[in-house]
Amino acid sequence: MSVPFRFSRHAESRIQQHLYNSNNSKHREEEREVKRLKTMSGNNKISTLRGLVIFLYRFFILRRWCHRNPKQKYQKCPSHGLHQAHDLSPHTLVFNVEGALLKSDSLFPYFMVVAFEAGGVIRSFFLFILYPFISLMSYEMGLKTMVMLSFFGVKKGSFRAGKSVLPKYFLEDVGLEMFQVLKRGGKSVGVSDLPQVMIDGFLKDYLEIEVVIGREMKMVGGYYLGIMEDTQKRELAFDKVFQEERLSSGHVIGITSFNSSTHRSLFSLFCQEIYFVRNSDKKSWQTLPRDQYPKPLIFHDGRLAIKPTPLNTLILFMWAPFSAALAAARLIVGLNLPYCVANPFLAFCGIHLTLTVSNHKDLASSDRRKGCLFVCNHRTLLDPLYISYALRKKNIKAVTYSLSRLSELLAPIKTVRMTRDRVKDGQAMERLLSQGDLVVCPEGTTCREPYLLRFSPLFSEVSDVIVPVAIDSHVNFFYGTTASGLKAFDPIFFLLNPFPSYTVQLLDPISGSNSSTCREPDNGKAKFEVANHVQHAIGNALGFECTNLTRRDKYLILAGNNGVVNKK
């Protein structure tokens, strides 16, 4: 029989005391661990807060105001600060094109112009559809996306939009206040995030900026890939330019956007003084007037007559189906129906034709065996046709230079191509005058802007009475002329506009030198005087400026050729 084991009272009390002390020690250790964790948590919060404060201090204070150049002076309103500054002529001004020169904040219209002119309607429509998603991207990613959509697959040798199309839209967006600041400075350097091929012609040819630093494009086999080079190459070019400028002038002033962190950090490396432009400042700027352009905008190419902002682009694509049907109806009626029916229908369809006659006397030549010679300025290929509509005469003939074969076939009046042989062309014009009235455009090419090109004096040798005709036209969406595109579609694009207008003014007849007098060697100057007199008469009637530029000058600037169109 087993006996149960029992502790003595003293042993039991010792065991209980040991268990109690053990529990107390565990409890104290747990309390110390909790306090330690609380202390660590508090220290972590303090460290996080301290790190956040140091980061904000370094980013917003040191980096912005004292980064790499503690002696710089920063002004937030260059439109006020620079206007009140001392003489800027000894200094070099470095400005950001998009942030400090152009009023608009959106780059979409310029890429839409490139997509439409260089890539066609499908590419431009694709860019327009994707623009809502592009607007949600960051600035750099959105810029790269638009470059890819606009330039991918475009041949470098045929891309002339940067020199012939885009300058018009850039000039219409230049702020007058900033342009006046740049004029007061010495050498100007333009820095841009846009590709070099888009801004080089505008800044150098029209604003006379000495140095332009843009972003280069990658190419394969002479075609653009739609990818821009790294910004490091631009920084190297930037560094090279400023090393030269510091040696020459010793003081460089930077002007950039307040929201452009990349240009701000780049300018801070080289400029002794930086001025910032806010968006609120740009809203109060005025647009640079046309009469203050350093170089007048006489020639420009492209089909779009309206700036393709997102809203305008939407209107263009919505108008496209209606415009095609309307242009077809206008074309069919204008070519086939008599004037008494065609004129009211065309007016109902939105085409406005205004005729002004200065002298109601008989416009016929003094020699009844000849017709009347109408000499007009050249706005579109439809100039002779609208003179025919205005006078309600279908027997009028016209002489042309480099007219496409399709335009000759569609013309409702007879057209004769000039050979650029003075003797042969003079004989052809005399033969046409013996058959009836004749329309001559002595400029030899169209001009969209309010300028008149030099008049060829050949017309003064074939008639003794000349009727100057001042013509002006206006369009809404599309230009009816082109220098580098397909000329066969010029009349079609003009008819695609919702409300195109034409103004025809018949001026007082001019008694020019007769044929025998003009052809005498001693009176060779007379024909040029007659041509200049007619040019100035038309220019005064329209308010246009007369120039000595020729057809060859226009095509060398816009298309890089002499303007001869092959017979097709």
Side-chain angles (χ1 to χ4, degrees), residues 345-380:
F345 178 82
L346 295 177
F348 176 77
C349 291
I351 299 180
H352 301 283
L353 174 62
T354 304
L355 173 64
T356 303
V357 181
S358 299
N359 194 341
H360 294 276
K361 295 181 180 179
D362 187 12
L363 296 177
S365 173
S366 60
D367 186 356
R368 296 298 177 179
R369 295 173 299 177
K370 287 186 176 183
C372 185
L373 179 62
F374 296 96
V375 178
C376 66
N377 60 307
H378 206 3
R379 301 296 281 179
T380 73

Side-chain angles (χ1 to χ4, degrees), residues 41 43 63 68 124 173 205 242 262 281 291 293 325 373 386 389 403 432 441 444 522 533 540 563 568:
S41 177
N43 292 336
R63 185 175 178 179
R68 299 198 182 192
S124 60
D173 198 24
D205 297 341
F242 279 95
T262 57
D281 300 329
D291 57 358
Y293 289 175
L373 179 62
Y386 274 95
Y389 277 119
L403 188 67
L432 293 172
C441 301
D522 296 337
H533 181 65
N540 292 334
K568 296 181 180 180

Side-chain angles (χ1 to χ4, degrees), residues 159-199:
F159 181 78
R160 301 192 63 85
K163 291 183 176 294
S164 61
V165 183
L166 286 173
K168 170 184 178 293
Y169 299 96
F170 281 128
L171 286 171
E172 292 174 351
D173 198 24
V174 173
L176 173 61
E177 287 77 4
M178 185 54 59
F179 175 74
Q180 291 175 344
V181 170
L182 296 179
K183 285 182 63 178
R184 294 174 51 211
K187 191 171 185 178
S188 300
V189 179
V191 183
S192 175
D193 289 326
L194 296 175
Q196 185 84 14
V197 293
M198 291 181 62
I199 60 169

Side-chain angles (χ1 to χ4, degrees), residues 266-462:
L266 185 63
F267 283 16
S268 64
L269 300 177
F270 304 99
C271 302
Q272 287 80 28
E273 191 172 352
I274 301 179
Y275 291 81
F276 292 105
V277 179
R278 294 183 182 272
N279 291 334
S280 57
D281 300 329
K282 297 168 71 173
K283 291 180 181 179
S284 62
W285 287 358
Q286 299 180 9
T287 303
L288 180 64
R290 180 180 293 271
D291 57 358
Q292 295 190 29
Y293 289 175
K295 178 182 177 181
L297 181 67
I298 301 177
F299 301 125
H300 60 87
D301 204 7
R303 292 293 190 183
L304 293 178
I306 186 174
K307 185 177 181 179
T309 61
L311 179 60
N312 290 340
T313 306
L314 175 62
I315 295 174
L316 283 174
F317 284 115
M318 292 179 63
W319 169 249
F322 303 98
S323 65
L326 185 60
R330 290 169 173 174
L331 187 64
I332 294 173
V333 171
L335 294 179
N336 297 286
L337 297 183
Y339 289 156
C340 59
V341 179
N343 283 347
F345 178 82
L346 295 177
F348 176 77
C349 291
I351 299 180
H352 301 283
L353 174 62
T354 304
L355 173 64
T356 303
V357 181
S358 299
N359 194 341
H360 294 276
K361 295 181 180 179
D362 187 12
L363 296 177
S365 173
S366 60
D367 186 356
R368 296 298 177 179
R369 295 173 299 177
K370 287 186 176 183
C372 185
L373 179 62
F374 296 96
V375 178
C376 66
N377 60 307
H378 206 3
R379 301 296 281 179
T380 73
L381 295 179
L382 301 177
D383 293 340
L385 182 59
Y386 274 95
I387 293 177
S388 175
Y389 277 119
L391 299 177
R392 295 178 181 269
K393 293 183 178 181
K394 273 211 169 185
N395 61 343
I396 289 182
K397 302 173 181 60
V399 293
T400 61
Y401 294 88
S402 299
L403 188 67
S404 67
R405 182 62 64 187
L406 179 60
S407 299
E408 289 181 344
L409 294 176
L410 293 178
I413 61 176
K414 183 179 179 180
T415 59
V416 177
R417 187 187 297 268
M418 294 286 96
T419 62
R420 289 190 174 82
D421 186 300
R422 180 173 172 272
V423 177
K424 292 182 179 180
D425 291 344
Q427 294 174 353
M429 293 173 66
E430 287 185 343
R431 184 175 65 256
L432 293 172
L433 275 174
S434 64
Q435 300 172 4
D437 296 338
L438 179 64
V439 178
V440 178
C441 301
E443 289 178 291
T445 187
T446 58
C447 184
R448 299 173 177 177
E449 298 301 323
Y451 297 92
L452 295 181
L453 308 186
R454 189 179 69 186
F455 278 28
S456 172
L458 181 60
F459 68 89
S460 65
E461 302 179 14
V462 297

Side-chain angles (χ1 to χ4, degrees), residues 112 115-116 119-129 149 317:
M112 177 56 67
F116 185 84
V121 178
I122 297 178
R123 185 191 294 261
S124 60
F125 181 74
F126 193 54
L127 175 61
F128 173 70
I129 292 298
L149 294 174
F317 284 115

